[in-house]
Amino acid sequence: MSLDNFWRRHRTLRAALRNLSFTAGILILASVVLVALSAPWLFPGDPLDMVGMPALWPGEDPAFPLGTDSLGRDVAAGLAHGARVSLLVGVSAAGIGLLIGTAIGAAAGYSGGWVDDLLVRVTELFQTVPAFLLVIVLVSIREPSAPAIAVAIGVASWPTVARLVRAQFRSLRSADFVAAALVSGARPSRIILRHILPNALPPIVVTTSVMVANAILTEAGLSFLNLGDPNLVSWGSMIGDGRQLLRTAWYLTALPGAAIALTVMSINLAGDGLNDVLNPRSGSH
Amino acid sequence: MSLAYRTGRSLRRTLVQAVPTILGIVILCFLLLQLMPGDVADVLAGESGAATEETLAAIRSRAGLDDPILLQLGRYLWRVAQLDLGYSTRFGTPVSQLILERLPNTLVLMLAALGLALGLGIIAGSVMAIHAGRWPDRVLQVVVLFFYSTPGFWIGLMAIVLFSVKLGWLPSGGSMTIGIAPTGLDFLRDRLPYLVLPALAMASFFIAVYARLTRATMLEVLQQDYIRTAVAKGLSPLVIRMRHALRNALIPVTTVAGMHLGNLLGGAVVVETVFSWPGMGRLALEAVTGRDFNVLLGVLLLSSMLVILTNAAVDLLQAWIDPRTDLS
């Protein structure tokens, strides 16, 4: 049948294209990071300050290439400063989620028995609760601030990681090199950290990109609902503000949304490329 | 094993798993809400402008807020067991009544979004897998990546601009035309246009999830030996793709669909806000700003139960698709 042939013929071509999209993802992500880092120099001053005529369309006034919002705030400045919040919250939330998920997944997968049963139950419980509702509850516990939001998103997003890590640990626990380490008298903490975890890393690394992407989307939703940090401009809050002028000045909603889409897309492209390199046998290709 | 037997087993297993989960969720939510600063008494006092310490204390003791936490939890668990979700201090009505008013709307939205996500996702995924590497696959991959990377509520807002403001095809918010009470087919004809955009906004991310998954699993299945056998038998490509490949590829898709239900329902909060859809999500948001713990607890609990129930339905679906499910 021609299917096998088809695969063989196109493998190199596909690999090159894959590489192309991976490179594109990295390049876009790098420019977003660059804009985020240089925002204080590119757009000095508070992006929440009113600086011009309200509701200027992009291109209407050369001083504000991307226009101004209903209060006369510079949209370009908002986007640049918003990139800082989105990336920072996204990365730290993913970090917190990874930490919790890895710890719980490792404990469950390594211990087995009742510890495993209990932790699986807890994981299922957190997976059943609608994640976004949980984030909202957690954020409203304190005054909303960027760190609190990162913690909340991290706490609501760990179950995926925990399931993954648990599966990895369960299969690696019965591997020969783990048995050898056990026989040679290594302590469990050493076995977990030095022997199993490094081997379980590739899928965890790939999940990181998905976690960051989803954390950015969640943060956008939160600040869209006005539950974000009121002292910081973020892409989500810009969409929320722009929504009031949706009928007349839809660019106020479109631009920050496009920024989110572009950033998250670049992270996903990079993650897919990473997946192909780290997990060549996975089903995604 | 007969289908009826499998169905029964699947239901029993779900029930055994559901009870501790529900209990755990109630306890979790209750503990979380204990951590919240300020209570209903503060909010009511703030809204009425002024209140003495005595009034505050009276409100608190009427709501049982100054009892020991364990007692409050025990009381709450007991009431939940009797399906009594408490009284909303802010809205002045029983929580169950508040939620029941909103539940059908959210249920309709969730099922529409889930159906849309599964339907479009599986179709897109199989088309991509069948044309892997050729232009339909490439084009769809870009579209899917876009949906996978874009906040659903933003897609909803942009859809309002295009379909409501510019083209005038669909309403931009609400769930029905106010002032008329149509019946039968007219009822559907009135409601459906209101449902399209919110369901699409809620489903967009999950369309992408299921499309990616269907594509990956179907590509894997298409390389299996039994597909080669089917080809050698001379079966038509359509039969091979639908009956042999797609059916087997659906098993992981339904499993993942069950895992994502919680996230899907969570999206309702934002989407309902965008489209002024009178559902539980908006109620939850109102409860947060009003610090109405009973309502928030109720929404959290009921949406979790909704997830568990839909999961059970997905389990049944899976037992039907794959007779091996129960043996493992």
Side-chain angles (χ1 to χ4, degrees):
Chain A
M1 115 163 237
S2 65
L3 205 60
D4 284 338
N5 248 331
F6 168 76
W7 284 114
R8 218 163 290 131
R9 235 171 343 111
H10 284 265
R11 186 158 295 152
T12 39
L13 176 70
R14 275 198 353 268
L17 273 173
R18 267 288 182 195
N19 236 333
L20 192 75
S21 57
F22 176 69
T23 320
I26 293 289
L27 280 179
I28 299 172
L29 187 58
S31 20
V32 175
V33 171
L34 199 70
V35 169
L37 287 176
S38 53
W41 292 277
L42 284 176
F43 302 98
D46 192 338
L48 291 171
D49 283 345
M50 302 168 206
V51 288
M53 293 272 292
L56 285 173
W57 273 75
E60 207 175 322
D61 182 340
F64 308 108
L66 295 181
T68 58
D69 73 359
S70 58
L71 294 174
R73 296 176 292 201
D74 187 357
V75 172
L79 287 179
H81 284 267
R84 298 166 74 85
V85 179
S86 283
L87 288 177
L88 210 63
V89 170
V91 170
S92 33
I96 293 165
L98 276 175
L99 218 64
I100 304 174
T102 308
I104 290 186
Y110 188 82
S111 319
W114 67 269
V115 177
D116 185 33
D117 286 343
L118 183 75
L119 290 177
V120 167
R121 267 282 146 76
V122 173
T123 311
E124 269 173 12
L125 200 149
F126 270 86
Q127 213 156 23
T128 306
V129 178
F132 195 72
L133 267 178
L134 184 62
V135 173
I136 289 180
V137 172
L138 288 170
V139 167
S140 17
I141 288 180
R142 290 188 200 299
E143 290 299 302
S145 65
I149 290 168
V151 171
I153 297 176
V155 167
S157 67
W158 60 264
T160 329
V161 187
R163 290 173 72 109
L164 187 78
V165 173
R166 174 176 172 269
Q168 288 280 311
F169 266 67
R170 269 167 75 94
S171 66
L172 286 170
R173 192 179 157 39
S174 48
D176 286 340
F177 64 88
V178 174
L182 269 174
V183 170
S184 68
R187 277 173 290 114
S189 59
R190 190 183 157 80
I191 292 178
I192 289 177
L193 290 177
R194 295 294 302 271
H195 295 270
I196 302 187
L197 196 57
N199 286 291
L201 268 184
I204 302 178
V205 170
V206 172
T207 316
T208 309
S209 68
V210 181
M211 300 269 293
V212 175
N214 288 345
I216 291 178
L217 293 178
T218 309
E219 193 276 334
L222 263 185
S223 42
F224 169 74
L225 290 177
N226 224 352
L227 296 172
D229 191 329
N231 302 315
L232 293 173
V233 58
S234 99
W235 291 339
S237 66
M238 289 175 79
I239 297 179
D241 292 343
R243 188 184 162 220
Q244 277 125 25
L245 296 182
L246 189 63
R247 276 161 198 280
T248 51
W250 54 265
Y251 66 92
L252 288 176
T253 306
L255 288 174
I260 298 172
L262 198 68
T263 308
V264 176
M265 207 182 284
S266 71
I267 295 171
N268 282 328
L269 281 174
D272 284 352
L274 216 58
N275 188 34
D276 285 355
V277 178
L278 291 175
N279 308 324
R281 283 171 54 77
S282 79
S284 80
H285 58 106
Chain B
M1 277 189 292
S2 75
L3 188 64
Y5 178 74
R6 291 207 310 266
T7 310
R9 274 190 57 159
S10 185
L11 273 180
R12 204 163 56 237
R13 197 185 52 215
T14 309
L15 202 69
V16 169
Q17 280 178 351
V19 171
T21 310
I22 293 174
L23 201 67
I25 287 168
V26 183
I27 295 175
L28 171 83
C29 300
F30 187 83
L31 292 178
L32 277 174
L33 291 162
Q34 291 301 315
L35 295 172
M36 291 212 168
D39 56 23
V40 176
D42 294 328
V43 174
L44 287 178
E47 281 185 351
S48 64
T52 55
E53 274 305 311
E54 290 79 47
T55 335
L56 280 179
I59 296 175
R60 286 208 176 93
S61 79
R62 197 171 64 227
L65 290 173
D66 42 10
D67 291 335
I69 284 184
L70 269 181
L71 185 65
Q72 288 189 49
L73 173 64
R75 202 159 46 208
Y76 190 80
L77 280 174
W78 176 238
R79 286 207 315 258
V80 168
Q82 296 169 304
L83 295 179
D84 169 14
L85 294 173
Y87 195 77
S88 162
T89 357
R90 181 168 166 78
F91 294 94
T93 40
V95 172
S96 46
Q97 190 192 325
L98 265 179
I99 294 180
L100 280 180
E101 276 168 18
R102 308 287 191 101
L103 183 66
N105 279 327
T106 298
L107 197 64
V108 167
L109 187 59
M110 184 183 103
L111 291 180
L114 185 67
L116 207 60
L118 278 173
L120 289 181
I122 290 171
I123 292 174
S126 359
V127 170
M128 286 196 289
I130 289 168
H131 299 281
R134 277 169 291 171
W135 69 264
D137 180 31
R138 297 238 174 285
V139 173
L140 277 174
Q141 270 193 321
V142 174
V143 176
V144 163
L145 180 70
F146 177 76
F147 277 122
Y148 193 61
S149 311
T150 312
F153 67 89
W154 183 70
I155 291 188
L157 286 165
M158 292 293 101
I160 291 180
V161 173
L162 181 62
F163 293 109
S164 308
V165 181
K166 302 280 178 210
L167 298 173
W169 288 354
L170 293 164
S172 65
S175 67
M176 58 177 166
T177 313
I178 296 177
I180 56 168
T183 48
L185 212 58
D186 285 338
F187 176 83
L188 271 182
R189 208 173 290 149
D190 178 51
R191 294 290 177 100
L192 267 182
Y194 287 95
L195 186 61
V196 175
L197 292 184
L200 182 73
M202 204 161 146
S204 66
F205 178 79
F206 298 93
I207 296 175
V209 171
Y210 301 145
R212 284 165 70 109
L213 191 69
T214 308
R215 179 180 185 275
T217 40
M218 217 164 139
L219 281 180
E220 212 150 278
V221 169
L222 280 172
Q223 288 176 307
Q224 300 286 321
D225 286 343
Y226 63 81
I227 297 290
R228 190 175 301 144
T229 311
V231 174
K233 255 173 31 182
L235 291 181
S236 82
L238 191 71
V239 171
I240 296 174
R241 283 164 187 168
M242 299 309 289
R243 270 199 68 88
H244 295 253
L246 185 58
R247 189 168 173 178
N248 282 291
L250 281 186
I251 294 160
V253 175
T254 47
T255 310
V256 172
M259 278 165 46
H260 280 297
L261 273 177
N263 294 335
L264 184 78
L265 195 55
V269 185
V270 198
V271 170
E272 285 178 4
T273 305
V274 168
F275 290 96
S276 341
W277 185 269
M280 291 199 315
R282 264 177 74 204
L283 185 65
L285 199 63
E286 287 160 25
V288 168
T289 41
R291 301 242 171 259
D292 200 333
F293 300 162
N294 278 348
V295 175
L296 197 55
L297 266 173
V299 172
L300 214 51
L301 183 71
L302 234 83
S303 38
S304 304
M305 281 208 252
L306 210 56
V307 171
I308 292 172
L309 271 178
T310 323
N311 248 327
V314 170
D315 271 358
L316 288 182
L317 193 71
Q318 201 156 22
W320 176 66
I321 294 176
D322 181 13
R324 294 166 308 179
T325 311
D326 269 1
L327 297 176
S328 56

